Amino acid sequence: MMLMASRGVLSQSLLALLLLLAPAWPGAHAHESRPAYLQITETAPSQFSLLWRTPMRGDIPLAVILKLPEGVRDTRPPLVQTLSDSRLERRWIDAGAKGLSGNRIGFPGLELTITEAIVEVETLDGHRWMGIARPSQPWVELAADRRSLQVAVEFTRQGIDHIFAGVDHLLFVFGLLLLVPGPWMLVKTVTAFTVAHSLTLAVATFGYVRPPVPLVEAAIAMSILFLGVEIVRARRGETSFTIERPWLVAFAFGLLHGFGFATVLSDAGLPERGIPLALLSFNIGVELGQLAFVAVVLVTARALVRLGGHWPPWMQLVPAYLVGTLGAFWTIQRLAAF
């Protein structure tokens, strides 16, 4: 197995992979993008109340517009409220004799973002429907009912998309691969990290604990910086609590990363009844994305080892410095945003 090779060979191989991936990362957002959210509740036959929520970026709401089907009319003036983290618009509409079933709701502007728009519909007969509009498909087509399997597929996909839309979580996992010496310790460390961020993802999504988002983002950046320093120590033959027990440190930092994941769902304003299945599916998607990343790193590293080649000893420290430098940059950037 790849991890049975020396740390120096692993470092060289992972550096090559990091350099290959680096050009795509500068434009990526590190788990900073929160979805828009549309809640549609049928209050009478063909009568609906709407809650349209768009996240704020500074003092400006996300440039995404809600486009309702033709023939829909407002029954009273909309109410708009600006909060610290989002813009809320409440509307009351008449959808006509055919209602909204089978119609398409668009989100112009979503195609220019890296986020999603979550849609939830509840009808008078108790049927509930959930869907997600994405930049590649900035609209949803409403159905009368939606099976749980469809909801699970949607949110699993969102979890996978979220992992690859931001680089901070993947960079932390990348650092763990550089730090952990063998396959058993890697399994133990990644499992601890997974359990930890799954716990805080659930706790934060259900609203039991909700730390400030800027504080969480800064702490995540600091965890990457800290990991970079520990990798350098390991390469120099030094030891520390982190190097000896990486799984415990991974668990502690995993709690922080879980709060980062939770902003995607909890800040979207999902009603409590819609959370359990969406939460489980989203978490599965996150884990699938994480495992796919680890697999790609290890397979690529193994292939590079077989190709052979020799790099100078100082190159073995470059991946650690790259991880630490990005962590330091994000830490300064996010602290400055307070």
PDB file of all heavy atoms in Angstrom, residues 207-235:
ATOM      1  N   GLY A 207     -29.811  23.420  15.656  1.00  0.00           N
ATOM      2  CA  GLY A 207     -29.896  24.674  16.388  1.00  0.00           C
ATOM      3  C   GLY A 207     -29.507  24.621  17.839  1.00  0.00           C
ATOM      4  O   GLY A 207     -29.711  25.593  18.571  1.00  0.00           O
ATOM      5  N   TYR A 208     -28.909  23.521  18.314  1.00  0.00           N
ATOM      6  CA  TYR A 208     -28.512  23.434  19.716  1.00  0.00           C
ATOM      7  C   TYR A 208     -27.314  24.336  20.012  1.00  0.00           C
ATOM      8  O   TYR A 208     -27.232  24.947  21.078  1.00  0.00           O
ATOM      9  CB  TYR A 208     -28.171  21.985  20.085  1.00  0.00           C
ATOM     10  CG  TYR A 208     -29.353  21.046  19.997  1.00  0.00           C
ATOM     11  CD1 TYR A 208     -29.385  20.020  19.063  1.00  0.00           C
ATOM     12  CD2 TYR A 208     -30.456  21.202  20.839  1.00  0.00           C
ATOM     13  CE1 TYR A 208     -30.476  19.166  18.963  1.00  0.00           C
ATOM     14  CE2 TYR A 208     -31.546  20.360  20.755  1.00  0.00           C
ATOM     15  CZ  TYR A 208     -31.551  19.338  19.812  1.00  0.00           C
ATOM     16  OH  TYR A 208     -32.634  18.504  19.708  1.00  0.00           O
ATOM     17  N   VAL A 209     -26.376  24.399  19.091  1.00  0.00           N
ATOM     18  CA  VAL A 209     -25.212  25.275  19.225  1.00  0.00           C
ATOM     19  C   VAL A 209     -24.966  25.915  17.873  1.00  0.00           C
ATOM     20  O   VAL A 209     -24.858  25.216  16.866  1.00  0.00           O
ATOM     21  CB  VAL A 209     -23.947  24.499  19.660  1.00  0.00           C
ATOM     22  CG1 VAL A 209     -22.755  25.448  19.762  1.00  0.00           C
ATOM     23  CG2 VAL A 209     -24.179  23.786  20.976  1.00  0.00           C
ATOM     24  N   ARG A 210     -24.855  27.246  17.855  1.00  0.00           N
ATOM     25  CA  ARG A 210     -24.627  27.946  16.591  1.00  0.00           C
ATOM     26  C   ARG A 210     -23.612  29.055  16.797  1.00  0.00           C
ATOM     27  O   ARG A 210     -23.967  30.218  16.974  1.00  0.00           O
ATOM     28  CB  ARG A 210     -25.930  28.502  16.037  1.00  0.00           C
ATOM     29  CG  ARG A 210     -26.958  27.436  15.684  1.00  0.00           C
ATOM     30  CD  ARG A 210     -28.136  28.010  14.947  1.00  0.00           C
ATOM     31  NE  ARG A 210     -27.753  28.566  13.664  1.00  0.00           N
ATOM     32  CZ  ARG A 210     -28.613  29.128  12.814  1.00  0.00           C
ATOM     33  NH1 ARG A 210     -29.893  29.217  13.138  1.00  0.00           N
ATOM     34  NH2 ARG A 210     -28.199  29.597  11.666  1.00  0.00           N
ATOM     35  N   PRO A 211     -22.333  28.730  16.781  1.00  0.00           N
ATOM     36  CA  PRO A 211     -21.301  29.763  16.941  1.00  0.00           C
ATOM     37  C   PRO A 211     -21.285  30.692  15.742  1.00  0.00           C
ATOM     38  O   PRO A 211     -21.735  30.324  14.646  1.00  0.00           O
ATOM     39  CB  PRO A 211     -20.003  28.951  17.035  1.00  0.00           C
ATOM     40  CG  PRO A 211     -20.308  27.670  16.339  1.00  0.00           C
ATOM     41  CD  PRO A 211     -21.754  27.395  16.598  1.00  0.00           C
ATOM     42  N   PRO A 212     -20.775  31.912  15.911  1.00  0.00           N
ATOM     43  CA  PRO A 212     -20.733  32.870  14.800  1.00  0.00           C
ATOM     44  C   PRO A 212     -19.943  32.320  13.611  1.00  0.00           C
ATOM     45  O   PRO A 212     -18.859  31.755  13.786  1.00  0.00           O
ATOM     46  CB  PRO A 212     -20.026  34.087  15.411  1.00  0.00           C
ATOM     47  CG  PRO A 212     -20.226  33.945  16.887  1.00  0.00           C
ATOM     48  CD  PRO A 212     -20.253  32.483  17.164  1.00  0.00           C
ATOM     49  N   VAL A 213     -20.494  32.473  12.421  1.00  0.00           N
ATOM     50  CA  VAL A 213     -19.857  31.936  11.216  1.00  0.00           C
ATOM     51  C   VAL A 213     -18.454  32.494  11.007  1.00  0.00           C
ATOM     52  O   VAL A 213     -17.524  31.728  10.710  1.00  0.00           O
ATOM     53  CB  VAL A 213     -20.742  32.194   9.977  1.00  0.00           C
ATOM     54  CG1 VAL A 213     -20.016  31.784   8.697  1.00  0.00           C
ATOM     55  CG2 VAL A 213     -22.054  31.424  10.105  1.00  0.00           C
ATOM     56  N   PRO A 214     -18.218  33.824  11.130  1.00  0.00           N
ATOM     57  CA  PRO A 214     -16.845  34.327  10.927  1.00  0.00           C
ATOM     58  C   PRO A 214     -15.845  33.709  11.899  1.00  0.00           C
ATOM     59  O   PRO A 214     -14.694  33.440  11.522  1.00  0.00           O
ATOM     60  CB  PRO A 214     -16.991  35.837  11.172  1.00  0.00           C
ATOM     61  CG  PRO A 214     -18.421  36.131  10.892  1.00  0.00           C
ATOM     62  CD  PRO A 214     -19.164  34.928  11.369  1.00  0.00           C
ATOM     63  N   LEU A 215     -16.280  33.466  13.145  1.00  0.00           N
ATOM     64  CA  LEU A 215     -15.388  32.861  14.124  1.00  0.00           C
ATOM     65  C   LEU A 215     -15.043  31.430  13.731  1.00  0.00           C
ATOM     66  O   LEU A 215     -13.889  30.989  13.837  1.00  0.00           O
ATOM     67  CB  LEU A 215     -16.044  32.889  15.507  1.00  0.00           C
ATOM     68  CG  LEU A 215     -15.238  32.264  16.659  1.00  0.00           C
ATOM     69  CD1 LEU A 215     -13.932  33.033  16.852  1.00  0.00           C
ATOM     70  CD2 LEU A 215     -16.054  32.269  17.949  1.00  0.00           C
ATOM     71  N   VAL A 216     -16.035  30.681  13.247  1.00  0.00           N
ATOM     72  CA  VAL A 216     -15.806  29.299  12.817  1.00  0.00           C
ATOM     73  C   VAL A 216     -14.851  29.260  11.633  1.00  0.00           C
ATOM     74  O   VAL A 216     -13.914  28.452  11.589  1.00  0.00           O
ATOM     75  CB  VAL A 216     -17.145  28.622  12.444  1.00  0.00           C
ATOM     76  CG1 VAL A 216     -16.894  27.275  11.786  1.00  0.00           C
ATOM     77  CG2 VAL A 216     -18.003  28.434  13.689  1.00  0.00           C
ATOM     78  N   GLU A 217     -15.062  30.137  10.657  1.00  0.00           N
ATOM     79  CA  GLU A 217     -14.209  30.154   9.476  1.00  0.00           C
ATOM     80  C   GLU A 217     -12.768  30.493   9.837  1.00  0.00           C
ATOM     81  O   GLU A 217     -11.826  29.906   9.290  1.00  0.00           O
ATOM     82  CB  GLU A 217     -14.757  31.147   8.453  1.00  0.00           C
ATOM     83  CG  GLU A 217     -16.082  30.709   7.847  1.00  0.00           C
ATOM     84  CD  GLU A 217     -16.638  31.728   6.863  1.00  0.00           C
ATOM     85  OE1 GLU A 217     -16.115  32.872   6.852  1.00  0.00           O
ATOM     86  OE2 GLU A 217     -17.571  31.397   6.124  1.00  0.00           O
ATOM     87  N   ALA A 218     -12.581  31.439  10.768  1.00  0.00           N
ATOM     88  CA  ALA A 218     -11.223  31.794  11.198  1.00  0.00           C
ATOM     89  C   ALA A 218     -10.574  30.625  11.931  1.00  0.00           C
ATOM     90  O   ALA A 218      -9.381  30.339  11.748  1.00  0.00           O
ATOM     91  CB  ALA A 218     -11.263  33.033  12.091  1.00  0.00           C
ATOM     92  N   ALA A 219     -11.353  29.929  12.768  1.00  0.00           N
ATOM     93  CA  ALA A 219     -10.805  28.793  13.513  1.00  0.00           C
ATOM     94  C   ALA A 219     -10.421  27.653  12.571  1.00  0.00           C
ATOM     95  O   ALA A 219      -9.414  26.964  12.786  1.00  0.00           O
ATOM     96  CB  ALA A 219     -11.827  28.311  14.544  1.00  0.00           C
ATOM     97  N   ILE A 220     -11.202  27.429  11.521  1.00  0.00           N
ATOM     98  CA  ILE A 220     -10.868  26.394  10.535  1.00  0.00           C
ATOM     99  C   ILE A 220      -9.549  26.731   9.845  1.00  0.00           C
ATOM    100  O   ILE A 220      -8.691  25.865   9.643  1.00  0.00           O
ATOM    101  CB  ILE A 220     -12.010  26.249   9.509  1.00  0.00           C
ATOM    102  CG1 ILE A 220     -13.226  25.601  10.167  1.00  0.00           C
ATOM    103  CG2 ILE A 220     -11.557  25.420   8.309  1.00  0.00           C
ATOM    104  CD1 ILE A 220     -14.454  25.543   9.287  1.00  0.00           C
ATOM    105  N   ALA A 221      -9.379  27.999   9.488  1.00  0.00           N
ATOM    106  CA  ALA A 221      -8.120  28.421   8.865  1.00  0.00           C
ATOM    107  C   ALA A 221      -6.942  28.202   9.823  1.00  0.00           C
ATOM    108  O   ALA A 221      -5.868  27.750   9.409  1.00  0.00           O
ATOM    109  CB  ALA A 221      -8.210  29.892   8.455  1.00  0.00           C
ATOM    110  N   MET A 222      -7.145  28.508  11.108  1.00  0.00           N
ATOM    111  CA  MET A 222      -6.083  28.294  12.089  1.00  0.00           C
ATOM    112  C   MET A 222      -5.731  26.818  12.230  1.00  0.00           C
ATOM    113  O   MET A 222      -4.571  26.458  12.450  1.00  0.00           O
ATOM    114  CB  MET A 222      -6.510  28.848  13.454  1.00  0.00           C
ATOM    115  CG  MET A 222      -6.565  30.355  13.524  1.00  0.00           C
ATOM    116  SD  MET A 222      -7.102  30.931  15.167  1.00  0.00           S
ATOM    117  CE  MET A 222      -7.264  32.688  14.864  1.00  0.00           C
ATOM    118  N   SER A 223      -6.732  25.938  12.090  1.00  0.00           N
ATOM    119  CA  SER A 223      -6.459  24.500  12.184  1.00  0.00           C
ATOM    120  C   SER A 223      -5.544  24.039  11.055  1.00  0.00           C
ATOM    121  O   SER A 223      -4.689  23.163  11.241  1.00  0.00           O
ATOM    122  CB  SER A 223      -7.778  23.707  12.165  1.00  0.00           C
ATOM    123  OG  SER A 223      -8.361  23.674  10.876  1.00  0.00           O
ATOM    124  N   ILE A 224      -5.713  24.632   9.878  1.00  0.00           N
ATOM    125  CA  ILE A 224      -4.854  24.289   8.747  1.00  0.00           C
ATOM    126  C   ILE A 224      -3.438  24.815   8.975  1.00  0.00           C
ATOM    127  O   ILE A 224      -2.452  24.128   8.697  1.00  0.00           O
ATOM    128  CB  ILE A 224      -5.455  24.856   7.445  1.00  0.00           C
ATOM    129  CG1 ILE A 224      -6.822  24.222   7.183  1.00  0.00           C
ATOM    130  CG2 ILE A 224      -4.530  24.610   6.258  1.00  0.00           C
ATOM    131  CD1 ILE A 224      -7.609  24.891   6.078  1.00  0.00           C
ATOM    132  N   LEU A 225      -3.338  26.037   9.486  1.00  0.00           N
ATOM    133  CA  LEU A 225      -2.030  26.600   9.815  1.00  0.00           C
ATOM    134  C   LEU A 225      -1.314  25.742  10.854  1.00  0.00           C
ATOM    135  O   LEU A 225      -0.121  25.427  10.713  1.00  0.00           O
ATOM    136  CB  LEU A 225      -2.202  28.030  10.336  1.00  0.00           C
ATOM    137  CG  LEU A 225      -0.956  28.715  10.916  1.00  0.00           C
ATOM    138  CD1 LEU A 225       0.148  28.810   9.876  1.00  0.00           C
ATOM    139  CD2 LEU A 225      -1.329  30.099  11.445  1.00  0.00           C
ATOM    140  N   PHE A 226      -2.034  25.349  11.886  1.00  0.00           N
ATOM    141  CA  PHE A 226      -1.463  24.504  12.943  1.00  0.00           C
ATOM    142  C   PHE A 226      -0.969  23.178  12.370  1.00  0.00           C
ATOM    143  O   PHE A 226       0.120  22.702  12.706  1.00  0.00           O
ATOM    144  CB  PHE A 226      -2.524  24.253  14.016  1.00  0.00           C
ATOM    145  CG  PHE A 226      -2.103  23.291  15.086  1.00  0.00           C
ATOM    146  CD1 PHE A 226      -1.362  23.713  16.175  1.00  0.00           C
ATOM    147  CD2 PHE A 226      -2.456  21.944  15.009  1.00  0.00           C
ATOM    148  CE1 PHE A 226      -0.962  22.823  17.166  1.00  0.00           C
ATOM    149  CE2 PHE A 226      -2.064  21.050  15.985  1.00  0.00           C
ATOM    150  CZ  PHE A 226      -1.325  21.492  17.073  1.00  0.00           C
ATOM    151  N   LEU A 227      -1.757  22.596  11.484  1.00  0.00           N
ATOM    152  CA  LEU A 227      -1.379  21.315  10.894  1.00  0.00           C
ATOM    153  C   LEU A 227      -0.111  21.453  10.051  1.00  0.00           C
ATOM    154  O   LEU A 227       0.753  20.570  10.059  1.00  0.00           O
ATOM    155  CB  LEU A 227      -2.529  20.782  10.030  1.00  0.00           C
ATOM    156  CG  LEU A 227      -2.423  19.331   9.550  1.00  0.00           C
ATOM    157  CD1 LEU A 227      -2.267  18.378  10.726  1.00  0.00           C
ATOM    158  CD2 LEU A 227      -3.638  18.951   8.726  1.00  0.00           C
ATOM    159  N   GLY A 228       0.022  22.569   9.336  1.00  0.00           N
ATOM    160  CA  GLY A 228       1.232  22.803   8.550  1.00  0.00           C
ATOM    161  C   GLY A 228       2.473  22.830   9.419  1.00  0.00           C
ATOM    162  O   GLY A 228       3.521  22.272   9.059  1.00  0.00           O
ATOM    163  N   VAL A 229       2.387  23.481  10.581  1.00  0.00           N
ATOM    164  CA  VAL A 229       3.517  23.537  11.512  1.00  0.00           C
ATOM    165  C   VAL A 229       3.878  22.140  12.016  1.00  0.00           C
ATOM    166  O   VAL A 229       5.063  21.773  12.094  1.00  0.00           O
ATOM    167  CB  VAL A 229       3.183  24.465  12.703  1.00  0.00           C
ATOM    168  CG1 VAL A 229       4.278  24.393  13.774  1.00  0.00           C
ATOM    169  CG2 VAL A 229       2.992  25.901  12.225  1.00  0.00           C
ATOM    170  N   GLU A 230       2.874  21.332  12.325  1.00  0.00           N
ATOM    171  CA  GLU A 230       3.128  19.991  12.832  1.00  0.00           C
ATOM    172  C   GLU A 230       3.758  19.085  11.769  1.00  0.00           C
ATOM    173  O   GLU A 230       4.587  18.228  12.079  1.00  0.00           O
ATOM    174  CB  GLU A 230       1.821  19.370  13.343  1.00  0.00           C
ATOM    175  CG  GLU A 230       1.258  20.043  14.578  1.00  0.00           C
ATOM    176  CD  GLU A 230       2.227  20.018  15.747  1.00  0.00           C
ATOM    177  OE1 GLU A 230       2.659  18.923  16.137  1.00  0.00           O
ATOM    178  OE2 GLU A 230       2.569  21.107  16.242  1.00  0.00           O
ATOM    179  N   ILE A 231       3.379  19.282  10.515  1.00  0.00           N
ATOM    180  CA  ILE A 231       3.988  18.488   9.439  1.00  0.00           C
ATOM    181  C   ILE A 231       5.473  18.812   9.316  1.00  0.00           C
ATOM    182  O   ILE A 231       6.308  17.918   9.131  1.00  0.00           O
ATOM    183  CB  ILE A 231       3.264  18.746   8.098  1.00  0.00           C
ATOM    184  CG1 ILE A 231       1.800  18.301   8.185  1.00  0.00           C
ATOM    185  CG2 ILE A 231       3.956  17.993   6.963  1.00  0.00           C
ATOM    186  CD1 ILE A 231       0.961  18.750   7.004  1.00  0.00           C
ATOM    187  N   VAL A 232       5.828  20.093   9.442  1.00  0.00           N
ATOM    188  CA  VAL A 232       7.238  20.481   9.395  1.00  0.00           C
ATOM    189  C   VAL A 232       8.009  19.833  10.543  1.00  0.00           C
ATOM    190  O   VAL A 232       9.123  19.323  10.357  1.00  0.00           O
ATOM    191  CB  VAL A 232       7.374  22.019   9.455  1.00  0.00           C
ATOM    192  CG1 VAL A 232       8.848  22.417   9.609  1.00  0.00           C
ATOM    193  CG2 VAL A 232       6.797  22.657   8.199  1.00  0.00           C
ATOM    194  N   ARG A 233       7.424  19.829  11.727  1.00  0.00           N
ATOM    195  CA  ARG A 233       8.077  19.190  12.878  1.00  0.00           C
ATOM    196  C   ARG A 233       8.328  17.709  12.614  1.00  0.00           C
ATOM    197  O   ARG A 233       9.390  17.179  12.913  1.00  0.00           O
ATOM    198  CB  ARG A 233       7.206  19.340  14.126  1.00  0.00           C
ATOM    199  CG  ARG A 233       7.213  20.725  14.742  1.00  0.00           C
ATOM    200  CD  ARG A 233       6.369  20.747  16.001  1.00  0.00           C
ATOM    201  NE  ARG A 233       6.405  22.030  16.667  1.00  0.00           N
ATOM    202  CZ  ARG A 233       5.727  22.331  17.757  1.00  0.00           C
ATOM    203  NH1 ARG A 233       4.923  21.407  18.302  1.00  0.00           N
ATOM    204  NH2 ARG A 233       5.812  23.519  18.305  1.00  0.00           N
ATOM    205  N   ALA A 234       7.324  17.038  12.068  1.00  0.00           N
ATOM    206  CA  ALA A 234       7.476  15.613  11.786  1.00  0.00           C
ATOM    207  C   ALA A 234       8.573  15.368  10.768  1.00  0.00           C
ATOM    208  O   ALA A 234       9.366  14.418  10.894  1.00  0.00           O
ATOM    209  CB  ALA A 234       6.147  15.041  11.289  1.00  0.00           C
ATOM    210  N   ARG A 235       8.657  16.223   9.752  1.00  0.00           N
ATOM    211  CA  ARG A 235       9.688  16.054   8.729  1.00  0.00           C
ATOM    212  C   ARG A 235      11.089  16.258   9.305  1.00  0.00           C
ATOM    213  O   ARG A 235      12.065  15.695   8.813  1.00  0.00           O
ATOM    214  CB  ARG A 235       9.461  17.052   7.581  1.00  0.00           C
ATOM    215  CG  ARG A 235       8.217  16.781   6.755  1.00  0.00           C
ATOM    216  CD  ARG A 235       8.361  15.472   5.967  1.00  0.00           C
ATOM    217  NE  ARG A 235       7.184  15.239   5.125  1.00  0.00           N
ATOM    218  CZ  ARG A 235       6.101  14.610   5.532  1.00  0.00           C
ATOM    219  NH1 ARG A 235       6.044  14.140   6.765  1.00  0.00           N
ATOM    220  NH2 ARG A 235       5.080  14.422   4.721  1.00  0.00           N
TER     221      ARG A 235
END
